Amino acid sequence: MWRCLRPTPRHAIFAVRVLIAFAIPPFAFAHEAHPDHAVAASTEERAFLDENDAAMTKMMNGMAAKPSGDIDRDFTAMMIPHHQGAIDMAVLELRYGKNEQLRRIAQEIIVDQLQEIAAMKLAIGESVTETAPAPTQPAPAAAAATAPHHSDMQMNMSPDQMK
C-alpha cells in the first residue's frame, strides 16, 4: 500500500507541471485584469474603469480577513466581500452597460449574491436585515435610516440614473 505513495521521478515531473500550470496564468494575464486607463475611449468608460478598480480593490482588501480560528467564520469573512464585489461590479454594468442581456444578467447577479450573503450570515448566526432595499433602487425614507449600505459606491439610484 505504501509503495504507491512513494515519490518517483514521474511524480516530481507531474508536480512541477502542475505548479507551472498554476503559476504562469497569473503572470500571463495580469495585464489583462486591469486594462490601461490611457486607452479609455470615453469619459464614461473612464468612470466605469475607475469605479471598477475601486470595487475590485475593496473586494480584495475585504477578502484578506485574518484567521479567527473558526473555519466557518473565516470562510464567510472571505466570501461575503467576494460576493459583495460581484454585486458592486454588477451595479456598474447597470450604470454604464448598454447590452440588455448583460444588464439582465447583472440584475440576476445582484439578487443571487444578496441571497447568498444572507444565507451565509444566517448560517453563522448573524442577523440579516429583511427590509434592505435592492441596491439599485432608491431606499424608502424610513428604511434608508436603518438599512445597512451594501457598498460604499452610490448604488441607490433610480433606473433613469443608471442609463
Side-chain angles (χ1 to χ4, degrees):
M1 176 176 187
W2 293 107
R3 182 177 179 194
C4 65
L5 298 177
R6 191 173 40 198
T8 66
R10 256 181 32 195
H11 290 114
I13 291 170
F14 176 75
V16 168
R17 285 183 178 174
V18 169
L19 287 173
I20 290 171
F22 283 107
I24 289 176
F27 293 115
F29 300 117
H31 186 68
E32 291 180 24
H34 298 285
D36 186 7
H37 287 220
V39 298
S42 68
T43 304
E44 186 176 69
E45 185 178 10
R46 175 70 175 200
F48 167 77
L49 293 172
D50 288 344
E51 289 180 50
N52 191 63
D53 280 350
M56 293 288 289
T57 299
K58 179 182 171 192
M59 178 184 71
M60 296 305 289
N61 290 340
M63 289 172 48
K66 293 182 182 178
S68 69
D70 180 338
I71 292 170
D72 296 327
R73 287 198 177 277
D74 292 348
F75 173 74
T76 58
M78 291 180 282
M79 287 304 293
I80 289 172
H82 177 69
H83 282 47
Q84 183 62 53
I87 292 167
D88 295 345
M89 287 180 268
V91 167
L92 294 175
E93 171 60 23
L94 293 176
R95 188 176 296 154
Y96 297 105
K98 308 291 187 249
N99 183 303
E100 286 304 316
Q101 184 178 4
L102 291 175
R103 291 172 54 81
R104 280 191 298 277
I105 291 169
Q107 290 171 335
E108 291 173 16
I109 288 170
I110 292 167
V111 171
D112 292 345
Q113 298 300 301
L114 285 171
Q115 290 173 346
E116 288 187 20
I117 289 171
M120 285 187 278
K121 285 183 174 184
L122 288 172
I124 60 170
E126 289 185 13
S127 62
V128 177
T129 305
E130 295 177 24
T131 59
T136 58
Q137 298 300 313
T146 59
H149 295 287
H150 291 289
S151 171
D152 291 335
M153 289 191 288
Q154 297 175 352
M155 294 192 325
N156 293 329
M157 301 175 61
S158 71
D160 293 334
Q161 290 172 310
M162 291 187 293
K163 292 184 180 180

